[in-house]
Amino acid sequence: MKSGQILPAFLVGSSERSQLLKEINSRSLETIVNRRNREAELDITYEIQSDIHPDLFFIRISVNLLVGGRGSGKTYSVLKELAKVSALDELYQEYDVTPELHFGGYSLFVYVSDKSCDQTFERMKKFIEFPIVQVRYNEALKTLTDISNAKELYRDIRNRKQQDESVVNAVLETLHIEDFSQPVHHTAVLFDDCMEMFKKKDGLFGLLFENRQPMITFFLC
């Protein structure tokens, strides 16, 4: 090296710099962002894909495809998972803890089927403690669109952007809720015999790719 030559900054104290870089790369950026959100009171944990409980095979705002032949238990498996969700509050009560969200945030279950009667559904629905709406495939698009629109209005009402009494009542009725105390409301949707969905030309299939904002968890059996 020539006399008086200045070393580049990245060569100065290279061992110390290397150690610092290791420490920086070991830090969790997610932790920092979550802390900032908490400080800004913008907790979006329940508005994104997130775990509910280790015993559940699905996460919030997901699309779940169950593959198997007729009579293989696909519908039963989903209904059992939703029954587990209903049991969450009981678990909290055992430990005398108030849950942040009742039933893991799920307040409505939409069962879509063209069957006149399904014994599995009839047997299992009594274990699902949040409201259930049963519709046929030709009614599904309107039902889910109404629910999505109501959730947008729900946010507006909580943020004081909408206070019209008729709108408030319509939101409560559509979402099958009693008040606006809970920050978010998730919806579980089960498409039984889901091949019927792919036969429709009404845009029903496209809803699977638009479940983030309305916070819908889909199950295709």
Side-chain angles (χ1 to χ4, degrees):
M1 184 179 69
K2 296 181 180 178
S3 176
Q5 183 176 351
I6 300 175
L7 288 172
F10 66 85
L11 290 179
V12 176
S14 58
S15 61
E16 291 85 353
R17 178 181 173 83
S18 177
Q19 182 60 37
L20 286 173
L21 288 176
K22 285 181 180 179
E23 291 184 19
I24 289 172
N25 289 331
S26 69
R27 292 286 301 278
S28 171
L29 296 175
E30 184 171 350
T31 300
I32 296 173
V33 173
N34 287 342
R35 174 177 53 77
R36 290 177 178 176
N37 278 332
R38 286 194 300 272
E39 290 171 354
E41 297 184 345
L42 295 173
D43 188 354
I44 61 171
T45 303
Y46 302 116
E47 299 179 31
I48 59 176
Q49 284 193 333
S50 52
D51 294 326
I52 307 167
H53 188 278
D55 270 359
L56 295 169
F57 73 61
F58 69 96
I59 62 176
R60 296 182 183 91
I61 317 179
S62 56
V63 178
N64 306 273
L65 175 63
L66 285 80
V67 180
R70 288 183 179 274
S72 60
K74 300 186 299 296
T75 299
Y76 170 77
S77 295
V78 173
L79 296 174
K80 185 178 180 181
E81 291 300 297
L82 296 179
K84 289 181 186 178
V85 171
S86 293
L88 276 172
D89 277 26
E90 181 180 335
L91 195 61
Y92 277 101
Q93 288 173 7
E94 286 184 16
Y95 288 88
D96 196 25
V97 175
T98 302
E100 292 184 68
L101 298 176
H102 290 291
F103 305 126
Y106 286 87
S107 57
L108 186 61
F109 169 40
V110 180
Y111 176 65
V112 184
S113 175
D114 282 344
K115 297 176 183 176
S116 57
C117 180
D118 184 274
Q119 292 183 353
T120 302
F121 173 69
E122 294 299 325
R123 184 173 67 252
M124 293 295 294
K125 69 179 183 181
K126 61 176 175 278
F127 301 117
I128 300 172
E129 298 180 23
F130 42 94
I132 299 174
V133 174
Q134 185 174 1
V135 299
R136 302 181 72 84
Y137 270 91
N138 60 8
E139 304 167 316
L141 180 62
K142 181 181 185 309
T143 298
L144 296 177
T145 300
D146 288 347
I147 289 171
S148 296
N149 291 338
K151 288 186 179 183
E152 288 187 22
L153 290 170
Y154 184 91
R155 284 188 281 267
D156 288 344
I157 292 168
R158 277 183 58 89
N159 293 329
R160 308 289 184 181
K161 295 179 181 178
Q162 172 61 261
Q163 298 185 43
D164 184 89
E165 186 176 353
S166 62
V167 174
V168 169
N169 291 334
V171 169
L172 293 174
E173 181 178 354
T174 302
L175 298 181
H176 295 263
I177 56 177
E178 297 180 353
D179 54 46
F180 295 87
S181 59
Q182 190 157 288
V184 296
H185 287 278
H186 286 262
T187 302
V189 179
L190 168 56
F191 289 107
D192 208 357
D193 291 330
C194 67
M195 286 305 297
E196 293 298 319
M197 174 193 295
F198 301 102
K199 297 176 184 177
K200 299 290 182 184
K201 304 297 182 183
D202 59 359
L204 185 59
F205 178 73
L207 294 181
L208 299 179
F209 306 98
E210 300 174 356
N211 65 330
R212 161 70 175 84
Q213 292 298 328
M215 290 177 285
I216 298 177
T217 303
F218 287 110
F219 301 93
L220 284 67
C221 295

